C-alpha cells in the first residue's frame, strides 16, 4: 500500500482540493475555508478564507517566487523562499503523503464508514507542540479525506476536512499568475487595477524573503523602537522618550482612525496586559502597541504600512495556518506576519515558539479597542 502511495505521488501532475481547516490552538476554534491548487513541479495556489469575516489571503508560488496576496486591500508581499519544500503544510497532499512514506513506525487501520485507509504517523511540522497526525486516504485513489494533528497529550490541535479533491486538473495559464489572482479576487472598492508590491529596499525585481514581507518597514526605525520590541522594556527609548517617539496628536488620531486594532484572544497562563493598547508611530507608520507581563513578557505591535520598500531579515518561515510568518532573532525573538494588510510583530526574550504561534493564531479572532 505504501508503494502504491509512493507511485501516486511520483506520477502526480496536478491536483485541486477544497475543504475546511479548524485550528484548536487558541481559546476558541477558528475555522477557515481552504482551496489548494498544484501544478508540477512547483506551482501552488492556496486561498484561505475566514468564513465569518469574509476575509481571505492567497499564498502563491510560481516561477517568480512566493507571494502572500491580500486582494481586498490590493497588497502583495513577496518572499524568496523554498516554501513549501522546506516546511510542511497540513493541507498539502505532498506533505501528508511524505509523512506516511518516511515514518517506518507508521500505524494503519481501515475506516469503513469513510471508505478510507487511516495512517497514524509522526507530525513533521515546524512547531514542537504537534506530535502525531492521523491521515485518512480514500481507498480507491489515495486522495486525502480527513486529517487530525494532535499534541503530546493526544489533544487534536488542527483538523482538515476535504470535501473535494481531483487529480489531473488542467489549469488555465493564469491560475498561478500573481496579477491575475489579484484582479480576480480584488474587492470592488480596492480602487486600483494594479497591485501594490512590497519588496526589499534596493531590489530591482522586487524579490525578498519571508522576513521582509512580514517585517515591513520596521527595519527603518534607526533603533528608536528597539526598547518597544523588548517584552521586558519600560517603554522608553535611548533618549528617555516613549516608544511612540515625538508623536503628535494628529499622528495619534491617524493611528486610531486608520487602523483596525486587533488583539489576541489567547494569552498564556499567568500573563496579563500591562497597560492596554498604546497609539504609536512605528517605522513612520501609525500603529498600536500592547505589552504583556507575568509568567512571560512580550510586546505585540501592529501597523498598517504604506507603499514602502523594506529590508530583508534572516529568519525561519513559520506556518501559522492562515498565513506564513517569520521567526527571527536569538536571545530576543520576533515573530512577524501579515493579516488583512496589517503587519504584526510579536517580540519576547522568554516566550516559547509554541506560545508565540498560539498567540499569533488567535489575533485574527478578536478586534481590539
Amino acid at each position: 500500500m505504501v508503494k502504491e502511495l509512493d507511485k501516486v505521488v511520483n506520477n502526480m501532475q496536478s491536483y485541486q482540493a477544497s475543504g475546511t481547516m479548524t485550528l484548536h490552538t487558541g481559546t476558541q476554534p477558528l475555522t477557515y475555508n481552504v482551496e489548494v491548487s498544484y501544478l508540477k513541479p512547483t506551482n501552488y495556489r492556496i486561498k484561505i478564507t475566514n468564513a465569518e469575516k469574509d476575509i481571505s489571503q492567497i499564498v502563491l508560488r510560481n516561477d517568480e517566487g512566493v507571494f502572500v496576496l491580500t486582494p481586498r486591500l490590493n497588497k502583495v508581499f513577496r518572499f524568496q523562499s523554498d516554501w513549501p519544500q522546506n516546511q510542511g503544510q497540513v493541507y498539502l497532499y505532498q506533505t501528508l503523503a511524505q509523512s506516511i512514506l518516511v515514518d517506518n513506525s507508521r500505524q494503519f487501520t481501515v475506516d469503513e464508514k469513510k471508505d478510507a485507509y487511516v495512517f497514524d504517523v509522526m507530525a513533521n511540522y515546524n512547531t514542537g507542540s504537534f506530535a502525531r497526525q492521523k491521515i485518512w486516504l480514500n481507498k480507491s485513489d489515495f486522495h486525502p479525506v480527513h486529517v487530525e494533528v494532535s499534541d503530546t497529550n493526544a489533544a487534536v490541535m488542527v483538523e482538515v476536512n476535504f470535501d473535494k479533491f481531483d487529480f489531473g486538473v488542467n489549469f488555465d495559464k493564469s491560475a498561478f499568475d500573481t496579477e491575475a489572482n489579484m484582479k480576480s479576487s480584488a474587492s470592488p472598492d480596492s480602487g486600483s487595477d494594479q497591485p501594490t508590491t512590497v519588496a526589499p529596499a534596493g531590489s530591482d525585481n522586487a524579490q525578498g524573503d519571508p522576513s521582509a514581507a512580514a517585517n515591513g518597514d520596521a527595519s527603518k526605525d534607526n533603533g528608536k523602537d528597539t526598547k518597544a520590541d523588548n517584552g521586558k522594556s519600560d517603554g522608553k527609548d535611548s533618549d528617555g522618550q516613549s516608544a511612540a517617539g515625538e508623536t503628535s496628536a494628529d499622528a495619534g488620531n491617524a493611528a486610531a482612525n486608520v487602523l483596525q486594532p486587533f488583539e489576541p484572544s489567547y494569552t498564556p497562563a499567568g500573563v496579563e496586559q500591562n497597560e492596554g493598547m498604546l497609539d504609536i508611530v512605528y517605522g513612520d507608520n501609525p500603529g498600536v502597541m500592547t505589552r504583556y507581563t507575568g509568567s512571560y513578557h512580550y510586546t505585540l505591535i501592529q501597523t498598517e504600512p504604506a507603499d514602502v520598500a523594506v529590508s530583508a531579515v534572516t529568519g525561519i518561515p513559520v506556518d501559522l495556518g492562515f498565513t506564513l510568518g517569520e521567526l527571527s532573532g536569538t536571545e530576543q525573538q520576533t515573530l512577524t506576519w501579515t493579516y488583512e494588510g496589517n503587519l504584526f510583530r510579536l517580540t519576547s526574550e522568554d516566550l516559547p515558539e509554541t506560545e508565540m504561534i498560539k498567540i499569533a493564531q488567535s489575533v485574527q479572532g478578536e478586534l481590539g479597542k
Side-chain angles (χ1 to χ4, degrees):
M1 199 172 300
V2 172
K3 289 181 180 178
E4 286 298 316
L5 175 61
D6 189 30
K7 193 179 299 182
V8 169
V9 174
N10 288 330
N11 294 334
M12 180 175 64
Q13 299 298 312
S14 65
Y15 68 80
Q16 191 167 41
S18 63
T20 59
M21 174 178 62
T22 302
L23 305 179
H24 298 278
T25 51
T27 55
Q28 295 181 342
L30 295 170
T31 299
Y32 301 87
N33 296 326
V34 180
E35 301 172 17
V36 181
S37 300
Y38 166 75
L39 179 64
K40 191 175 183 177
T42 57
N43 284 342
Y44 293 87
R45 178 188 184 274
I46 296 94
K47 183 177 182 181
I48 302 176
T49 305
N50 184 310
E52 285 186 14
K53 300 175 184 283
D54 193 27
I55 291 172
S56 65
Q57 285 190 314
I58 297 173
V59 180
L60 191 70
R61 176 170 180 176
N62 53 33
D63 293 341
E64 298 176 349
V66 179
F67 304 85
V68 172
L69 317 180
T70 308
R72 190 177 73 82
L73 299 179
N74 203 40
K75 288 188 180 292
V76 180
F77 296 93
R78 186 170 189 169
F79 302 166
Q80 189 173 34
S81 170
D82 290 333
W83 180 91
Q85 275 72 19
N86 57 353
Q87 165 182 33
Q89 313 286 138
V90 67
Y91 40 75
L92 295 183
Y93 182 64
Q94 294 93 322
T95 299
L96 299 175
Q98 192 65 18
S99 297
I100 296 171
L101 295 173
V102 301
D103 189 353
N104 292 325
S105 62
R106 70 185 79 86
Q107 300 174 26
F108 169 79
T109 58
V110 178
D111 186 335
E112 296 295 349
K113 290 184 179 180
K114 285 183 167 50
D115 192 30
Y117 302 123
V118 185
F119 295 88
D120 189 332
V121 297
M122 293 177 60
N124 297 319
Y125 300 104
N126 65 333
T127 170
S129 62
F130 295 164
R132 304 287 299 179
Q133 62 181 341
K134 288 185 178 180
I135 302 168
W136 281 253
L137 299 182
N138 181 268
K139 286 183 178 179
S140 62
D141 62 0
F142 292 99
H143 77 256
V145 176
H146 183 72
V147 183
E148 294 180 358
V149 185
S150 304
D151 63 11
T152 53
N153 296 317
V156 175
M157 306 298 288
V158 182
E159 287 184 90
V160 178
N161 282 299
F162 293 91
D163 52 42
K164 185 178 181 181
F165 194 100
D166 297 312
F167 288 111
V169 177
N170 293 318
F171 293 106
D172 184 82
K173 186 178 180 180
S174 63
F176 302 94
D177 180 77
T178 307
E179 187 173 335
N181 274 276
M182 288 293 292
K183 287 183 177 180
S184 64
S185 304
S187 165
D189 301 325
S190 60
S192 173
D193 290 334
Q194 296 301 318
T196 297
T197 302
V198 179
S203 171
D204 294 330
N205 58 3
Q207 289 192 0
D209 74 0
S211 60
N215 278 301
D217 200 35
S219 61
K220 296 174 65 179
D221 305 335
N222 297 322
K224 286 187 178 181
D225 290 312
T226 302
K227 293 285 184 107
D229 275 353
N230 190 331
K232 296 181 179 180
S233 77
D234 58 3
K236 305 290 184 179
D237 65 16
S238 58
D239 297 321
Q241 297 174 343
S242 68
E246 297 287 348
T247 307
S248 66
D250 290 340
N253 291 334
N257 293 332
V258 175
L259 277 179
Q260 182 184 20
F262 289 86
E263 62 181 348
S265 60
Y266 171 81
T267 53
V271 171
E272 60 182 16
Q273 279 192 21
N274 190 18
E275 51 189 352
M277 283 187 175
L278 300 175
D279 291 332
I280 64 171
V281 173
Y282 192 88
D284 297 328
N285 297 305
V288 290
M289 178 178 69
T290 310
R291 294 190 184 89
Y292 295 82
T293 59
S295 53
Y296 300 112
H297 302 76
Y298 56 92
T299 299
L300 179 63
I301 291 177
Q302 172 191 347
T303 60
E304 189 178 64
D307 305 341
V308 294
V310 300
S311 299
V313 179
T314 302
I316 303 170
V318 176
D319 177 22
L320 300 178
F322 63 93
T323 192
L324 294 180
E326 183 264 344
L327 186 66
S328 60
T330 52
E331 293 184 3
Q332 178 173 286
Q333 289 191 309
T334 298
L335 177 63
T336 53
W337 71 97
T338 66
Y339 179 70
E340 269 299 273
N342 294 277
L343 297 181
F344 293 88
R345 292 170 54 89
L346 176 61
T347 302
S348 177
E349 292 181 354
D350 56 6
L351 193 63
E353 180 181 341
T354 53
E355 293 290 335
M356 297 183 91
I357 292 173
K358 287 182 181 179
I359 293 168
Q361 289 175 333
S362 74
V363 165
Q364 73 280 4
E366 293 290 323
L367 180 64
K369 284 200 173 185

